[in-house]
């Protein structure tokens, strides 16, 4: 009888300690779980540093490239917020000058879509290259992942200008080791059915073609960049 009492007391002590230990684990889980859930649900911020092609010149806001890209990514289960930092008429110099303003949004990734207006104004390709080099360098120093989108000069600009301009983007991408999508207007350029009357800016159908063609590039590099670490900025 005494043995049973002693055994019962020992069992009660062990059980109470196990219960206390389990309660501690549950408390810790309750404290940490909300933070983990929040971290997993927080969208990746992808900013488009661009010109009128990103801004959506001549289109409704919902038809602009950043919004259409975000919708396409959402359809594929990607939690990505695409921020439109396109300014119509902007050159590579203009893009360089407004990087700090763009970084206030704390993007995880910046897609650089600039150079088309440099080309249309027949600016010196060497200056365009210097500006793009400085843009990519500054973004990387800020701790931001960078993707580069290329442009091509119209063939009627002459073979020398075309030769100098078209190689810029690959040179910058190779130098900095950043992903390059060779031609933003691939499949759309010079197609009247996919462009506005000016023959330069895509219409809504053209934007959808651009999104369709660039989407594999975006999703591949999202996977390659994961997990994206947010830049340590205030």
């Amino acid at each position: 009888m005494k043995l049973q009492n002693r055994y019962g007391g020992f069992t009660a002590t062990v059980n109470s300690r196990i219960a206390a230990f389990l309660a501690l684990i549950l408390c810790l889980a309750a404290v940490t779980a909300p933070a983990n859930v929040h971290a997993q649900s927080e969208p990746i911020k992808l900013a488009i540093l661009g010109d009128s092609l990103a801004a959506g010149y001549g289109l409704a806001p919902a038809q602009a490239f950043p919004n259409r890209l975000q919708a396409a990514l959402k359809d594929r289960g990607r939690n990505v917020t695409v921020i439109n930092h396109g300014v119509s008429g902007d050159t590579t110099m203009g893009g360089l000058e407004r990087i700090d303003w763009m970084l206030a949004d704390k993007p995880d990734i910046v897609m650089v879509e600039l150079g088309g207006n440099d080309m249309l104004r027949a600016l010196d390709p060497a200056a365009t290259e210097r500006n793009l080099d400085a843009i990519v360098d500054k973004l990387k120093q800020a701790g931001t992942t960078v993707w580069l989108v290329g442009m091509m000069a119209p063939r009627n600009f002459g073979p020398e200008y075309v030769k100098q301009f078209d190689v810029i983007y690959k040179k910058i991408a190779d130098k900095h080791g950043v992903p390059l999508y060779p031609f933003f207007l691939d499949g759309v350029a010079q197609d009247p059915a996919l462009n506005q009357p000016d023959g330069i800016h895509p219409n809504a159908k053209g934007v959808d073609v651009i999104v369709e063609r660039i989407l594999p590039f975006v999703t591949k590099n999202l996977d390659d960049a994961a997990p994206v670490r947010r830049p340590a900025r205030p």
Side-chain angles (χ1 to χ4, degrees), residues 95-167:
L96 178 60
E97 291 173 346
R98 60 189 175 91
I99 285 180
D100 291 335
W101 170 68
M102 183 200 64
L103 288 176
D105 282 334
K106 298 183 179 180
D108 301 297
I109 304 167
V110 176
M111 178 187 290
V112 180
E113 178 275 303
L114 287 167
N117 286 311
D118 296 47
M119 173 263 297
L120 291 175
R121 299 177 189 183
L123 300 181
D124 183 0
T128 300
E129 182 176 344
R130 286 194 299 270
N131 293 333
L132 286 172
D133 182 55
I135 287 171
V136 175
D137 184 62
K138 188 168 184 177
L139 290 172
K140 291 186 70 175
Q141 286 187 24
T144 306
T145 298
V146 182
W147 301 343
L148 187 59
V149 174
M151 289 298 297
M152 296 176 66
R155 305 300 100 168
N156 62 358
F157 274 45
E160 188 59 30
Y161 188 90
V162 168
K163 179 181 177 181
Q164 293 179 31
F165 186 88
D166 286 2
V167 299

Side-chain angles (χ1 to χ4, degrees), residues 3-31:
L3 178 61
Q4 290 177 349
N5 288 339
R6 289 175 182 173
Y7 180 78
F10 173 76
T11 302
T13 300
V14 170
N15 288 340
S16 65
R17 290 179 178 176
I18 292 174
F21 178 69
L22 292 174
L24 177 61
I25 292 176
L26 290 173
C27 288
L28 290 173
V31 171

Side-chain angles (χ1 to χ4, degrees), residues 28-41:
L28 290 173
V31 171
T32 58
N36 290 335
V37 169
H38 177 72
Q40 293 171 358
S41 63

